[in-house]
Amino acid sequence: MTLRLGRHEFADDATLMMAIVNRTPDSFYDRGATWAEDKAFERVAQVVEQGAEIVDIGGIKAAPGAEIGPEEEMSRVVDFVARVRAAYPSLVISVDTWRASVGRAVCEAGADVLNDAWGGADPELVDAAAEHGAAIVCTHTGGATPRTRPYRVEYDDVVAAAIADTVAYAERAVAAGVSKESVVIDPAHDFGKNTFHSLELTRRLGEMVATGWPVLVSLSNKDFVGETLDLPVGERLTGTLAATAVCALAGARIYRVHEVVETRQVVDMVASIAGRRPPARAIRGLQ
């Protein structure tokens, strides 16, 4: 199925890098390194140079913290989206938000994708996407309240729950008027889940891919990697790439990442092993 992200289309075998750009002073990974607008813009330039097809701009960290209302969130992302749109007309711009009011404002500023990390907490977000011809990412959080950490969450079958909820969200988005080619599902590792849940979702990601909806994975430096290997945030790249390889073999389409170059190499290598992509250069033993 052709993937349409706003004004951009991608073939059904394309794998895409979604680079994270945080407009927050307290993000878990970069600790506010791109909080200043010019620093965030430099990050955009860097990841575009590295080959990212998508940037995902966020104005609120996912973890608990200071209350950030919709007006403050918009002040962090709307004008920045407009600046990036003007500078990079062929770049896919995604905004990480669960609020419909923010979604409408960023789409008017040029965003192509609304990345709802909180599983439809604001039911009107699909309407905002439909009104502006934007794509939407439908995540599974088990009904978690935005910006809360999971506590003793239980599922009879976490993969079945993730499939049921994301597919239902996807179908609701289409019913609201979002193009079917513009809907992506995401198991949302760590969100409303413990480490065992996230590992199982990784191991069984092929079941989500088998639904036919394009699958996005956001694995980069997450807690399930850190807990599995007992490593702090700054030392999780190798574990992240191992999880990425498993998801790539299963057929994930979009990878939300901090490290673009390393992730692209892993995804391309796996695609070639799987027979989906020819080697970039193959002369050994042929000449």
Side-chain angles (χ1 to χ4, degrees), residues 154-199:
E154 295 183 2
Y155 298 97
D156 291 335
D157 183 330
V158 68
V159 178
I163 290 172
D165 286 4
T166 57
V167 169
Y169 190 174
E171 291 172 347
R172 185 164 64 83
V174 172
V178 179
S179 169
K180 186 175 182 179
E181 294 76 22
S182 299
V183 178
V184 177
I185 63 173
D186 174 4
H189 290 72
D190 279 1
F191 281 63
K193 301 168 187 73
N194 61 33
T195 289
F196 295 106
H197 295 142
S198 293
L199 290 169

Side-chain angles (χ1 to χ4, degrees), residues 25-250:
D26 50 3
S27 50
F28 89 97
Y29 181 70
D30 59 34
R31 305 297 183 187
T34 54
W35 166 230
E37 182 175 318
D38 286 345
K39 291 294 185 182
F41 195 75
E42 288 174 10
R43 164 73 173 165
V44 173
Q46 176 191 44
V47 298
V48 169
E49 177 67 22
Q50 292 173 341
E53 294 87 0
I54 311 168
V55 293
D56 189 45
I57 300 165
I60 306 178
K61 73 172 182 177
E67 173 64 24
I68 305 296
E71 293 78 13
E72 172 63 20
E73 184 182 359
M74 282 189 272
S75 75
R76 296 179 176 189
V77 297
V78 175
D79 288 347
F80 186 69
V81 166
R83 180 179 177 184
V84 174
R85 176 83 290 145
Y88 298 98
S90 64
L91 180 66
V92 178
I93 300 175
S94 170
V95 175
D96 181 351
T97 186
W98 75 89
R99 291 171 167 147
S101 59
V102 177
R104 289 187 173 93
V106 296
C107 285
E108 289 169 4
D112 301 293
V113 182
L114 298 179
N115 180 15
D116 179 10
W118 291 103
D122 185 338
E124 294 184 9
L125 192 66
V126 292
D127 301 310
E131 290 162 12
H132 294 87
I136 191 164
V137 179
C138 304
T139 62
H140 170 260
T141 64
T145 300
R147 304 191 68 200
T148 59
R149 296 189 186 278
Y151 179 71
R152 298 191 180 279
V153 179
E154 295 183 2
Y155 298 97
D156 291 335
D157 183 330
V158 68
V159 178
I163 290 172
D165 286 4
T166 57
V167 169
Y169 190 174
E171 291 172 347
R172 185 164 64 83
V174 172
V178 179
S179 169
K180 186 175 182 179
E181 294 76 22
S182 299
V183 178
V184 177
I185 63 173
D186 174 4
H189 290 72
D190 279 1
F191 281 63
K193 301 168 187 73
N194 61 33
T195 289
F196 295 106
H197 295 142
S198 293
L199 290 169
E200 185 168 359
L201 280 162
T202 306
R203 183 167 62 250
R204 296 171 56 193
L205 192 77
E207 295 174 43
M208 291 198 74
V209 172
T211 66
W213 296 98
V215 175
L216 179 152
V217 288
S218 182
L219 311 167
S220 194
N221 299 290
K222 283 201 166 176
D223 284 347
F224 85 96
V225 176
E227 289 192 355
T228 299
L229 301 176
D230 193 19
L231 292 172
V233 170
E235 299 176 21
R236 298 175 182 175
L237 177 58
T238 303
T240 295
L241 295 179
T244 297
V246 173
C247 291
L249 192 60

